[in-house]
Amino acid sequence: MIVALQKRKENIVEYLIYMWQVEDLIRACKFDMESIEKQIISQYDQPENVKREIRIWYSELVDMMRQENVMEYGHIQINKNIVIDLSELHLQLLNTSEEAVYKSLYYKALPFIVQLRSKSGGNGISEIETCLTAVYGFLLLKLQCKKISEDTVNAIKQIGVFLAFLAEKHKESCLI
């Protein structure tokens, strides 16, 4: 909760990746609040009143995941809405003549996006969700200490630069 609040203010892309990880942690704990308490909440060095807020936050996420039937895979609607918002912002930026830098970063990442979509069969998801999924998958591979090809590392770097710029544009748009 503490990390999520901070990331949401600072970088919406990092926030989404973090929230996807939280969803997976909840799944790993089998939606059991005792397990979440033991494995996650107890690790926070916070006063009891803050831990109580964290506990409530996790409990609400567990309830949302159950209600929205994303217990095995997928994302809760509030996270999907952010992806939709980012996708809409992406399209707006592509259609704005003043966004040459954004367009340049997008076109550098585009071959990798196309390649990822063709490999995953992700025709039903947006380019932004494709990018986010690629970055999240890359992070999971790193956490598992899996071998990652140089081509994949280069693709993720390019996609990461593009997403970082989009996150900055999102932050700017929220300040207006």
Side-chain angles (χ1 to χ4, degrees):
M1 176 193 84
I2 295 167
V3 174
L5 290 172
Q6 184 162 352
K7 287 192 176 296
R8 180 144 188 170
K9 289 179 197 171
E10 293 174 4
N11 186 312
I12 197 70
V13 169
E14 288 181 9
Y15 168 78
L16 270 175
I17 299 295
Y18 177 79
M19 289 303 297
W20 288 3
Q21 182 181 30
V22 168
E23 290 170 337
D24 281 346
L25 286 172
I26 290 171
R27 289 180 185 110
C29 291
K30 299 186 182 350
F31 298 85
D32 177 56
M33 282 306 296
E34 285 183 33
S35 180
I36 291 169
E37 174 74 39
K38 183 179 176 185
Q39 300 296 322
I40 302 168
I41 299 169
S42 67
Q43 306 302 312
Y44 284 95
D45 184 22
Q46 295 292 326
E48 189 52 41
N49 64 320
V50 174
K51 282 189 175 184
R52 189 172 27 260
E53 288 180 40
I54 294 169
R55 204 172 290 113
I56 291 168
W57 185 74
Y58 272 97
S59 178
E60 289 172 349
L61 287 173
V62 165
D63 290 344
M64 279 187 253
M65 290 177 73
R66 284 187 172 136
Q67 290 171 2
E68 296 177 23
N69 199 26
V70 291
M71 294 176 62
E72 292 182 37
Y73 59 88
H75 306 294
I76 55 177
Q77 192 61 49
I78 57 175
N79 292 336
K80 289 179 185 178
N81 290 345
I82 293 169
V83 174
I84 291 167
D85 290 345
L86 285 174
S87 295
E88 289 173 359
L89 177 60
H90 164 67
L91 294 174
Q92 288 172 5
L93 293 169
L94 285 180
N95 290 317
T96 303
S97 59
E98 297 85 34
E99 291 298 338
V101 173
Y102 182 81
K103 290 176 187 178
S104 172
L105 292 173
Y106 167 69
Y107 288 120
K108 286 180 183 174
L110 186 57
F112 304 114
I113 297 168
V114 170
Q115 185 178 33
L116 286 165
R117 290 180 89 172
S118 69
K119 282 183 180 179
S120 69
N123 296 333
I125 64 173
S126 70
E127 291 178 325
I128 300 305
E129 187 170 355
T130 298
C131 292
L132 291 163
T133 301
V135 170
Y136 187 64
F138 177 78
L139 292 175
L140 290 178
L141 290 173
K142 285 185 74 168
L143 286 171
Q144 297 168 5
C145 299
K146 302 273 177 143
K147 187 172 177 8
I148 303 170
S149 73
E150 191 175 324
D151 287 344
T152 299
V153 170
N154 290 333
I156 294 300
K157 280 183 184 176
Q158 195 62 55
I159 289 170
V161 169
F162 165 65
L163 286 175
F165 201 81
L166 177 61
E168 191 58 38
K169 289 295 184 179
H170 177 269
K171 188 175 179 180
E172 288 173 16
S173 73
C174 290
L175 297 175
I176 297 173

